[in-house]
Amino acid sequence: MSTAHTPGPWEWDGNTLRPSNPDPNTSSVHSILDADGGFGFLGSDWRKTILELDACRAVIAAAPDLLQALQLIVQWDSAGLALTEELIAKANAAIAKANQRQSAEAAEKVLA
């Protein structure tokens, strides 16, 4: 295994975070996190809690992509190279994945 963490990409399957393509040749882990869905503070709006938990799940699932994008940016910068469009696109894709939210339609159903 080349990294200390389970290689990405990761995805949620219900309340379980798993590698998208589990491979025993590259990782010993087939399940990263088993969560019961999370909890809100007593008295908090359950609809907002659900939306916030979905946002948290997206950030966690994007962690490998964010790490890789940052490592590449640091490598390029330390080599004195200008950032390329490809590298900026990779960083933007990782940021978009971390910011992924429910569709507007699904969010409206939760908030209704």
Side-chain angles (χ1 to χ4, degrees):
M1 192 165 107
S2 62
T3 59
H5 69 287
T6 304
W10 301 343
E11 60 188 38
W12 286 95
D13 179 12
N15 289 324
T16 303
L17 184 66
R18 304 180 184 282
S20 296
N21 301 304
D23 181 354
N25 295 315
T26 59
S27 175
S28 299
V29 175
H30 63 79
S31 177
I32 299 162
L33 175 65
D34 289 310
D36 57 12
F39 298 95
F41 289 106
L42 185 63
S44 64
D45 182 335
W46 66 270
R47 295 165 295 198
K48 290 181 181 177
T49 300
I50 290 170
L51 293 174
E52 187 173 336
L53 287 169
D54 285 342
C56 292
R57 287 184 182 102
V59 170
I60 293 167
D65 301 308
L66 294 166
L67 176 62
Q68 182 186 37
L70 288 172
Q71 288 171 327
L72 289 170
I73 288 169
V74 169
Q75 286 173 359
W76 276 78
D77 185 61
S78 63
L81 301 170
L83 298 179
T84 64
E85 287 183 32
E86 179 183 356
L87 189 54
I88 296 298
K90 188 174 202 78
N92 282 329
I95 291 166
K97 185 174 182 179
N99 284 324
Q100 178 182 342
R101 298 283 199 287
Q102 292 179 327
S103 70
E105 181 180 305
E108 286 176 15
K109 287 179 184 176
V110 169
L111 294 174

